[in-house]
Amino acid sequence: MTGSTEDYAPHPHIGGRTAALRALAAWRAAAPGAPRVVVLTGDAGSGRSRLLTGFLMLCEPEYRKQLPLDAMDPSTVPPELPAPAVPSAEGLTAAQVLWLIADHFGLRATGVQGVYAELAALDEPVTVVVPDVDRAGPVRAVDEPARLVREVLAPLAATGTVRLMAEVPRPLAAEVAEGLPPGTAQIIDLDAPEWADPDLLVRYAQAALDPEFGAPELPFTVDPAARLALGAAIGRRAGSPLVVQLVVHCALMAPEGFDPADERFLPTSVGTALDLHARRLGTDSQTLRLLLAPLALAEAEGIPVQLWSRLASAVAGHDMSPAIAGGMLLAGPFVQPVEVPAEAAEAASEGGGEAAGGGEEGAEGDSADGERTLLRLLHPALAEEIRAGLPNVAAAQTQIAMALLEAVPDQDWGKADPYVRDHIAGHTLEAGLLPQLLTDPGLFVHADPVPLRAAVEAVPLEQLGAPARTYLRTAPLLTRTQAPTLLRAALLETAFVEDGLPEYAEAIHGRLGLDLPWQTLWSLPVAGGVSAVTVGSLPGAEGAGATPVAVLVVPPGTPGARPVGAGTGGGESGTAVLVHHLVQPGLLDDADLDRIVRPSEEERAAAPLGLSRGGDYLRVWNRSDQEVVAALISDTPFTAADLSPDGILLVATERGAKALRIRAAGAGIAS
C-alpha cells in the first residue's frame, strides 16, 4: 500500500492505523506509563483483526525480516523480543484456550486455578495475545466469547505477571479490564475518533484496485487516475474496511455495467453492499440474501459446497438450485471457498483415530486429489446482516436441520457427510429442537464430541432425556482423550449400562456394525464405592457346574453386604462384601464365602490375556504377542480390577463395580 501522512512508509499489511500501532508498540515494549493489558475492539468489520495480524508480524522474528522496518515510523515498531504466546480463540472453548496457554509456557497445573497460580508465581512476566475472541466456540449459538472473556481473559488480566492483549467484541471489551487498578488497562476502539484513520479506507481501496496487488486489468484499474479517483470515492463513502473490501470485490468480480463515476452503486454499509450489488446485476436483494442464508447460519468453517443448494432451498421454501447455478457472480463477492483435506474432516470426528466412514468416496464436493470444498461468508459481519434480515432465525434453522437429517444415508450416521454428522446439533440447538435429536446412539458415537458436547451443555438439564444425560456425563472423557469412533462407542456402551439404559448399549452392539473391544455384562452402583474386587467361582451341587462370581469389598452397611473379618473373602477388618454373578446381573445373597474358589497363580499365568492398571486406565493385552486388545479409561479413578482366566474384566471405582467381557481372539468365553 502507498501513501503516508508523516513521510514514513505505512505498514505494508495495514496501510495506516499509526496511532493504534504506536499504542500497541508501547505496550509490547513495556514503555513507562504503558498499560499491562490492551483490549482491541471496534465494530465488526472495523479492521481490528487486520491491525492485530499486522502488529503480530512485527512481533514474530521471521516476519520482521520481511518488513521495511527502516522506512517505517520508529514509534510503531516494537523492540525485537521473543514471540508472544498467540492462542487463537477461533472455534475453541474457553477451557481449550486456557490449556493452550498453559502448554505454551510448560505449566504443570492440572486444574484451572492452578494455571493462574503458576502464572502468578513466575519470576518474569509473560506476554499473551488472544485474537479472534468473537469467533470462539465450536457451536455458534453458544455464547463462548462471553465465557472466554469471563473465565479466561479477565483472570489473565488480573494476573500481574501476564502482559495481555486481546481482540474482543465491543460489548465484552469493558469486562476484560473491569476491576483493574487505574492505568493497568487500555481499551483501543478503532471506531473512536482518536483511533480511527479515515485516510486508511482510501488507501486500502486504491491498493485493492491496483493490478500490482492482484486486481484484474480493467479500464478503472489500469488507468492510474481512474483508479485513484474510484478508490477515493469508495473510501469516502465506505463505513469500514469491510465495506471497502466488499465493494471492490463486487466491482472486480462483476465489472460489466459497473460505472466508476456513478456513486449510487458505492455502498456505505454491509447491508447496502448486498442490496446495491443485487440491483446492479438485475435481481432482487432478497434472492441474494436467501442464497447466502445457509452460510450465515453455518457452523465451523462452512458448509460443504454440495449441500448449499439443498440448504438454500430449505430456507427459501422453494427450489433455489437455478439461482445457485447461475448466481456465482451474484453471490461470489460475499463467499469464500475453503479447501480442506477430505481426511481432515474424518480426523475431526475420529479424534485422530481410524475413519468410520463419512460418505461415499469421491462424493460430490470432494476433489480427485482428496480435497473437500467448504463455503463460508467472507466475514462474520455479513452473517450478522443476513441473519438480522431473516423473519425467524429459529424457523430457518429448523428447515436446515430437517434438510440435514434427510441428507443422512439410510439414517446411518456412520455414512453421513462430516458436516451433517458433526454440526447438526448446532443447527438444532438454535432451532430449539436439540433434545429431540438426542435419542440416537449412532449420533453420539459418530459425531465429533467437541461441538456435540458444547451444544448439549447449552440445553437446560431438565430438558434432556436419559440417553442425553448419559452422553453429557461421558463427553468430558471423550473430549479429554480425543477418543476415536471405536473407543467412543465402547465407552458409551458401558456408560449406558451403568445408567440403566441397556437398550442403548444393545443398539450400539446391534446397529452400528462396530467391533467393540468389550461387552459390558452388568454394572452395580455402590454408595461409597468399591475398594477391592476379585473374580472366583462357586462350586455347584454334585454334578452341577461352578458359578462364576465377583466378590466386591464395600463399606459396612451397604445394603445386602455381609461384614467380614480380616482375611475372609478378600476383605479387611471393618469391611463388608457383596457376592455378584460374574457374567450376568444379580447378587448372590446366600453365597457361602468360604466355598468361593479363586483362580490360582498358575491359572492366571496360563490365561491368554493379561491386565495392566494405572490410575485412570486399564489395559488388557494378549500374552502371546503383548498386543493391547482393550484399553478402558475412566473419569473416576479405578480403585480395583481383576481379570478372570476366560476374559471377564471386573472393574471397581468410587461409584461401584462392573464386568466386561473382553472380545479378543484366543480368549475363552465365560458362560
Side-chain angles (χ1 to χ4, degrees):
M1 294 186 177
T2 59
S4 172
T5 58
E6 303 178 15
D7 296 326
Y8 289 113
H11 190 299
H13 180 75
I14 302 169
R17 299 284 191 194
T18 300
L21 273 176
R22 284 173 177 160
L24 300 187
W27 166 83
R28 177 66 170 147
R36 180 174 57 80
V37 176
V38 169
V39 182
L40 187 62
T41 191
D43 287 336
S46 61
R48 61 181 190 242
S49 295
R50 190 178 189 88
L51 170 62
L52 187 55
T53 299
F55 176 69
L56 288 174
M57 291 178 178
L58 293 165
C59 298
E60 211 287 325
E62 290 303 314
Y63 270 109
R64 283 176 68 99
K65 298 175 183 177
Q66 303 173 34
L67 297 175
L69 301 184
D70 292 340
M72 294 171 59
D73 184 341
S75 66
T76 66
V77 180
E80 187 167 5
L81 298 167
V86 187
S88 173
E90 183 171 3
L92 301 184
T93 65
Q96 287 175 315
V97 173
L98 180 64
W99 290 112
L100 281 179
I101 295 170
D103 290 344
H104 180 89
F105 294 114
L107 306 184
R108 298 181 179 180
T110 57
V112 170
Q113 294 308 314
V115 173
Y116 299 120
E118 284 196 43
L119 288 172
L122 294 174
D123 295 331
E124 298 290 336
V126 294
T127 305
V128 179
V129 179
V130 184
D132 303 318
V133 171
D134 60 329
R135 301 186 187 216
V139 176
R140 190 176 39 75
V142 176
D143 194 6
E144 198 67 30
R147 180 181 297 176
L148 176 60
V149 166
R150 292 160 190 163
E151 297 181 6
V152 177
L153 298 185
L156 285 176
T159 303
T161 55
V162 176
R163 300 189 58 78
L164 176 67
M165 179 185 296
E167 177 206 345
V168 178
R170 184 182 289 114
L172 297 171
E175 291 193 40
V176 179
E178 189 174 355
L180 296 179
T184 303
Q186 179 181 31
I187 296 177
I188 297 177
D189 187 333
L190 295 184
D191 295 306
E194 63 267 34
W195 305 111
D197 186 351
D199 293 337
L200 168 73
L201 301 181
V202 172
R203 292 195 296 271
Y204 182 26
Q206 291 172 338
L209 292 166
D210 195 336
E212 183 180 345
F213 296 106
E217 295 188 354
L218 299 166
F220 54 83
T221 63
V222 296
D223 182 338
R227 180 176 68 245
L228 294 176
L230 177 58
I234 292 172
R236 185 173 62 251
R237 291 178 58 85
S240 68
L242 174 60
V243 177
V244 171
Q245 184 181 18
L246 294 179
V247 68
V248 171
H249 277 203
C250 291
L252 298 184
M253 292 185 69
E256 292 79 7
F258 177 75
D259 183 358
D262 188 350
E263 293 195 5
R264 294 178 303 163
F265 288 101
L266 300 183
T268 58
S269 66
V270 171
T272 57
L274 289 163
D275 299 339
L276 293 177
H277 182 67
R279 186 194 309 171
R280 186 167 65 83
L281 268 61
T283 190
D284 62 287
S285 177
Q286 184 65 9
T287 297
L288 173 57
R289 289 169 182 261
L290 287 174
L291 283 176
L292 299 179
L295 308 183
L297 299 169
E299 296 289 334
E301 292 185 282
I303 63 171
V305 65
Q306 71 270 19
L307 288 177
W308 185 18
S309 177
R310 179 193 291 259
L311 300 185
S313 300
V315 174
H318 59 267
D319 186 9
M320 293 290 287
S321 55
I324 287 179
M328 281 315 297
L329 288 181
L330 178 64
F334 311 99
V335 174
Q336 180 180 26
V338 180
E339 300 293 337
V340 298
E343 61 270 17
E346 295 301 333
S349 178
E350 295 306 305
E354 72 285 350
E360 296 181 4
E361 185 177 352
E364 182 183 355
D366 292 355
S367 63
D369 59 357
E371 288 199 329
R372 174 177 170 80
T373 303
L374 305 178
L375 298 177
R376 66 181 178 188
L377 291 177
L378 199 63
H379 194 278
L382 273 167
E384 292 177 14
E385 170 67 26
I386 294 167
R387 287 167 59 87
L390 291 172
N392 188 321
V393 170
Q397 287 285 34
T398 297
Q399 296 305 315
I400 285 180
M402 295 302 103
L404 293 176
L405 277 175
E406 293 171 0
V408 179
D410 305 320
Q411 291 304 294
D412 182 346
W413 292 102
K415 299 177 182 177
D417 181 277
Y419 181 88
V420 178
R421 176 192 67 209
D422 296 338
H423 299 296
I424 190 171
H427 292 281
T428 54
L429 174 65
E430 195 163 25
L433 301 174
L434 182 55
Q436 292 93 305
L437 182 69
L438 301 175
T439 59
D440 189 337
L443 177 65
F444 294 144
V445 166
H446 287 292
D448 182 345
V450 173
L452 182 55
R453 174 190 177 185
V456 177
E457 286 180 337
V459 179
L461 191 62
E462 63 272 13
Q463 296 181 18
L464 296 177
R469 294 185 185 212
T470 294
Y471 182 83
L472 195 59
R473 176 175 72 80
T474 313
L477 188 61
L478 305 182
T479 55
R480 176 172 64 85
T481 60
Q482 298 184 326
T485 296
L486 193 61
L487 182 55
R488 286 205 297 269
L491 293 173
L492 285 166
E493 182 264 2
T494 197
F496 283 131
V497 174
E498 288 175 341
D499 291 352
L501 299 169
E503 66 276 20
Y504 283 88
E506 286 302 317
I508 290 178
H509 282 290
R511 285 202 293 111
L512 303 190
L514 298 173
D515 187 16
L516 300 189
W518 61 70
Q519 179 181 13
T520 305
L521 302 174
W522 54 265
S523 176
L524 181 69
V526 177
V530 178
S531 59
V533 297
T534 186
V535 299
S537 60
L538 190 63
E542 186 175 348
T547 300
V549 298
V551 181
L552 316 177
V553 179
V554 296
T558 299
R562 284 171 282 176
V564 295
T568 304
E572 299 175 356
S573 180
T575 62
V577 299
L578 292 169
V579 181
H580 194 285
H581 282 283
L582 182 59
V583 296
Q584 63 192 43
L587 291 169
L588 295 168
D589 295 327
D590 57 352
D592 185 346
L593 297 179
D594 294 330
R595 297 184 65 232
I596 294 176
V597 179
R598 291 165 180 77
S600 66
E601 291 303 317
E602 291 77 10
E603 288 175 306
R604 291 183 182 277
L609 298 177
L611 175 64
S612 301
R613 174 185 159 194
D616 61 354
Y617 73 88
L618 295 169
R619 293 193 181 102
V620 180
W621 39 275
N622 268 323
R623 293 186 186 275
S624 60
D625 57 10
Q626 306 298 305
E627 180 183 357
V628 174
V629 297
L632 181 62
I633 52 179
S634 174
D635 56 350
T636 302
F638 294 113
T639 55
D642 198 8
L643 181 65
S644 73
D646 50 4
I648 302 296
L649 177 62
L650 183 60
V651 178
T653 70
E654 297 170 358
R655 290 197 296 259
K658 59 188 174 185
L660 299 83
R661 175 182 283 122
I662 305 302
R663 293 181 159 180
I669 301 298
S671 59

